[in-house]
Each structure stands twice: as C-alpha cells, then as structure tokens.
Amino acid sequence: MPTAAIIGASRGIGLEFVRQYAGDGWRVHATTRTPDVPGELGELKGDVRLHHLDVRNDTHIARLADELSKTAIDVLVHNAGVLNSRGRASPEEVADTMRINAEAPIVTVSALLDSVAASEQKKVAIISSIQGSGRPRPQSPDLYGDSKGELNRRFRDIEPEWRARGITAVALHPGYVRTDMTGPHASISPEESVTGIRALLDNLAPADSGSFLDYRGKEVAW
Ligand SMILES: NC(=O)c1ccc[n+]([C@@H]2O[C@H](COP(=O)([O-])OP(=O)(O)OC[C@H]3O[C@@H](n4cnc5c(N)ncnc54)[C@H](OP(=O)(O)O)[C@@H]3O)[C@@H](O)[C@H]2O)c1
C-alpha cells in the first residue's frame, strides 16, 4: 500500500486526512505538536505513525527529515496553519502567522523532498486558502489572507524545481470547512473536504503541477 505523510494532523482537516488514508489501508506518518497527548489522532485505526513537529522549529523539521529519510512518501500534505488574529495583529502575531502559514510549508516540504522523489506517486499538496487569492491588497490588509497569498507566491517560485525532480505539487483550497478555525457555521464537513481532495490527488497528473485547485478540483485564481 502507498504511504502518506500529513503535516499538522492533530485536529480538523489534517486529522481527517489521517483517518481516511489509514482507513483505506495506507501507511500514514502524521505529525503533531503533542505526541504524548495525541487525543483523537492516537485513537485512529490503521498503520499510523506519530512524529513530533512544530513547523516553526528547524530542529524538529531536520529530525523529521532524518526519521523519514529511508521512507518513500507517495503523498505529502502540508496542512498545518493558523488564523491568529481577525483584527489588528500585534507584530508577534504577524511574525508567527507568516512563519507558520507562508514559510513553514515550503521549508518542511523541501526538507522531505527526497522521500517524495523516492516514491511511486511523487505528489505534494500544500493546503493554502482562497483567502490568499489576489493578495496582498494594500487597501484592505488581512493577516491570514496575506500570509496565504505569500505562501502561494513562494510555492509558485519553487514549484518548477520540484517538478524538475518528477514531483507533482499543487496548492489547494479545502473549501469552507467546519473546524476549530471556522466554527460550526462553515459550509462543509472535514469528511467532505478531504474526500474531495483525496479524489483530486488520486487523479492528479504531472501536467497539473503548479495549479491552485479547490477540493472539487476547480481552479482557483492566484
Ligand atoms: N477550515 C477552513 O474552512 C479552511 C479554509 C481554507 C484553508 N484552511 C486551511 O486548512 C488547514 C487546516 O485548517 P483547519 O481548519 O483544520 O484548522 P484547525 O482545526 O485550527 O487545525 C490546524 C492544524 O494546524 C496545526 N498547527 C498549527 N500551528 C502549528 C505549528 N506551529 N506546528 C505544527 N502544527 C501546527 C494544529 O495543531 P495544534 O493542534 O497543535 O494546534 C492543527 O493540527 C490550514 O492551513 C488552514 O489555513 C482551512
């Protein structure tokens, strides 16, 4: 069976990725900031292996790359993200959000790229957001949207290098999903979002590399 790695798997969309891939018999490497108290992640059935990772911590990223250096990763999903502030953000919040949402996905995926290149499927999905479309907008700044816009810019810069290694990488909008980040009024469940993304990833072809797609496979504007 293939192997998936899910970065940021403790709750919400990331937890659902682990549940579905492991439920289908995949081996899943799942990262959490709290491996000693994994909560629901620790109760999932199947071949789930937990790794400790805070994506702001370069030592953690290097250790994870080392732990997985002999593992072929067919599908790597970078899901970790934060919505720290809906109003005026402090300088600390700005730095933290940019680190987690814009820098860490590129740094973490780059560190694991050899493991993806060694696999059969060679697929990378970076969970961005439609909130990053058309960002930055100086007239209406928004920290979360700007951080995802910056992630998209960095992804488009580096993706050709990944593609040259035979990897198919996409940025994704998971839909407006009911999680701790959004609350109960969001429009779809994590199950619906992840079911859609997994179908999209199953059918992903090298020509799709560098696309920005939503969970139904529809193209999203940069
Ligand atoms: N929900 C939506 O409607 C929606 C829409 C568009 C995009 N997204 C994106 O989808 C992704 C998942 O969102 P969600 O709705 O599932 O949010 P969530 O329920 O708040 O889960 C966020 C996940 O990211 C992890 N994370 C946060 N900071 C981290 C760090 N420094 N290091 C490692 N992991 C960290 C969290 O781990 P802890 O439990 O340790 O905090 C948690 O597993 C995010 O990138 C988000 O921006 C969500």
Side-chain angles (χ1 to χ4, degrees), residues 7-15 31-34 53-56 78-83 100-101 127-131 144 148 172-182 186:
I7 306 302
S10 60
R11 318 180 259 130
I13 297 168
L15 178 68
T31 78
T32 169
R33 289 195 281 188
T34 54
L53 177 70
D54 184 318
V55 297
R56 293 167 295 190
H78 193 290
N79 168 77
V82 284
L83 197 168
I100 295 168
N101 288 0
I127 307 298
S128 179
S129 170
I130 202 165
Q131 303 284 328
Y144 178 76
K148 293 292 190 176
L172 298 176
H173 170 58
Y176 184 36
V177 189
R178 289 188 288 278
T179 64
D180 294 343
M181 189 176 282
T182 52

Side-chain angles (χ1 to χ4, degrees), residues 17-153:
F17 269 112
V18 183
R19 189 194 319 277
Q20 291 196 19
Y21 275 123
D24 273 0
W26 289 46
R27 172 168 294 172
V28 185
H29 293 275
T31 78
T32 169
R33 289 195 281 188
T34 54
D36 295 337
V37 270
E40 272 190 74
L41 180 60
E43 290 159 20
L44 295 181
K45 299 213 173 8
D47 186 354
V48 178
R49 297 159 189 226
L50 302 190
H51 301 267
H52 182 203
L53 177 70
D54 184 318
V55 297
R56 293 167 295 190
N57 187 317
D58 291 334
T59 307
H60 288 187
I61 294 172
R63 191 182 55 207
L64 178 70
D66 191 46
E67 286 167 2
L68 296 179
S69 63
K70 295 195 167 48
T71 299
I73 301 173
D74 291 282
V75 173
L76 170 60
V77 179
H78 193 290
N79 168 77
V82 284
L83 197 168
N84 270 337
S85 169
R86 289 178 194 273
R88 201 183 176 83
S90 68
E92 291 76 20
E93 282 173 326
V94 172
D96 202 49
T97 299
M98 284 294 174
R99 181 84 197 264
I100 295 168
N101 288 0
E103 291 171 27
I106 306 301
V107 173
T108 307
V109 169
S110 295
L112 298 175
L113 216 58
D114 287 347
S115 293
V116 178
S119 75
E120 207 168 294
Q121 297 194 27
K122 302 180 178 52
K123 293 172 184 171
V124 169
I126 291 189
I127 307 298
S128 179
S129 170
I130 202 165
Q131 303 284 328
S133 286
R135 293 278 167 188
R137 282 176 229 151
Q139 303 316 320
S140 56
D142 165 70
L143 176 56
Y144 178 76
D146 288 350
S147 70
K148 293 292 190 176
E150 177 63 15
L151 166 61
N152 291 351
R153 194 188 63 70

Side-chain angles (χ1 to χ4, degrees), residues 146-199:
D146 288 350
S147 70
K148 293 292 190 176
E150 177 63 15
L151 166 61
N152 291 351
R153 194 188 63 70
R154 289 173 189 230
F155 170 71
R156 296 177 81 187
D157 266 3
I158 202 163
E159 182 275 331
E161 284 177 34
W162 297 352
R163 191 189 311 195
R165 298 197 57 188
I167 290 163
T168 303
V170 288
L172 298 176
H173 170 58
Y176 184 36
V177 189
R178 289 188 288 278
T179 64
D180 294 343
M181 189 176 282
T182 52
H185 302 300
S187 43
I188 61 171
S189 64
E191 187 184 356
E192 187 175 353
S193 171
V194 171
T195 299
I197 293 173
R198 288 181 59 232

